[in-house]
Amino acid sequence: MKKYLFILSLIFSVPSLAQDTDVLLNHVIYHYIDRVDIRGYADTLIHTDHKPYGRPQLQAVMGRVHTAQLSPVEQAWHRRIQLLVDDSLAVKNEAKGALRYFYTNGRDLVHVATPRLKLFVNPVLHTSLGLDQNTYPTASRPNLPLGINSRGVQVRGTLGQKIGFHTEVYDNITRFHQFIYDEYRSTLRLYGEGFIKTFGTENALDYFSSRAYLTYRPIKEMRIKFGKDRAFWGNGYQSLALSDYAADYLMLNIRTRVWKLEYVNHFTQMIDFLINRNDVEGTLPRKYGVFHQLSYKPNNQLSFGIFESIVYTPVLANGNRGIELQYFNPIIFYRAIEQYIGSPDNAMIGGTFKWNFLRHFQLYGQLVIDDYNFGVRDQGSNYWGNKVGWQLGAKYIDVWGIPTLDLQIEHNRVRPYTYQHFNIASNYTNYGQSLGHSAGANLLDFYTILQYHPLPLLHVYLSYGYRMQGLDQDGFNYGGDYQQPTGNRPRAEDFNYAIGDGLGLSVHNVYGKFTYQLWDLDAYLEVEARYHRANSQESLSILGGLRANIEARPIR
């Protein structure tokens, strides 16, 4: 016993970097860090293939920026981003506050700072009102009210400079666009969320959101995170490898940084969502995923990565195997294990690249291979089992020399049946929502995104997205729905399955948002407008309100 206690004391007495939590995904901070990375300031300190980013990681990057070379607007923007990221800076920041005890640092409702504890408490709030004018025949009326009413609390901080903690809970009553509400009624799934209840009689849903995790760094080179959250791998608007579209899940995430390499292990327990399941049937079945990626960033311009994943169910035709312990080997090739135990699981491999050049441009991409059979190339084209997706995109900052005006373009192609598996429980999903491309497979899309920060407090976001996709038709699986097994294909032959086969869907989405930050708070006044067209059905909407300390999830 003394020997074990001695070993534990060594582990927990290792000198460590100060710990804290991650920045919420889809925060404007990620856009700013992209700018910093393209300009070369991030060097090898941060690997942008893996999100979310940790606060100490970002503090180090922000400290490298030569603010004297920035325009006045950029300097003010940098200061505000730095204050949101750097808790040490926020603690030293003095503000008039409210009622002597609140917002005394100008950023947090309540904060406590001692040598052993840093604690930050903030309200979670999102309240907006709007209108959806649409031509959907399922709508109860052509002019539907839109609304968001989210209320809760966020608590995070550090303990002993080694443990980081984050928890947030909030309740939501939301009136959705008709095209989102229609998807929920047909699938009983809502992107990014779990258990849902209807509220009232029109386009309203009631749901509860929560996120909580701990972080710990046993040695300088390693960071461990355990809890309920999401991740995003890649540099694009979409991720074909691991996206943040699905609901939060239980994870054990281990990041190891050595030299110019970063190695990420991502072990997850997820939910196999069953539609119309009754509560008396017990809990929803579990499913598991294991992911790892090795990134190499030799300098501030180039980055390469290779990744692989396995998604599997603990229940097979020959019995319940439970968690597959062999997948917990953190450095082995997963495909080798998957074949060794009989190939019952859904394996995927792929790679990423990123190239920053001329301090204004970035070229990036992803390749995912769910399955590929080289042996059938001489028998025909477009073999159904060649399940592949790829992404190519570019970013251009300070367009035409205008500071803070940034452009991003992106193209994705995902072949039919990618993310699907012969065992539906092993499909690439959590809670019935995609872990890859948000729309599934059998598609191609294009995105153009323009962002501008003309004033220190004002952020303008404009985007246009187009998607062409083939949906299931006449009861047959055309490979677009990630919730279907790979069987029940429409043709007896195995070839001539091209992107877009099936019932054609053409989606146009034009979106604009004006965001105004309130003082030094992580709080914003927002006005957004959207034009959405799916084939002949149209929706034109406007929505405005207040958002504070809560993720602004895009409708991808």
Side-chain angles (χ1 to χ4, degrees), residues 38 132 341 410 415-416 458 489 554:
I38 291 171
D132 177 22
I341 63 177
E410 181 174 306
R415 277 193 47 78
L458 180 64
R489 295 184 297 277

Side-chain angles (χ1 to χ4, degrees), residues 18 31 286 328 489:
H31 171 222
R286 304 300 192 266
F328 281 87
R489 295 184 297 277

Side-chain angles (χ1 to χ4, degrees), residues 184-203:
Y184 166 76
R185 290 198 301 182
S186 64
T187 65
L188 297 185
R189 304 189 304 263
L190 178 64
Y191 67 99
E193 302 296 339
F195 179 71
I196 309 294
K197 297 183 293 184
T198 57
F199 181 83
T201 58
E202 285 185 319
N203 69 325

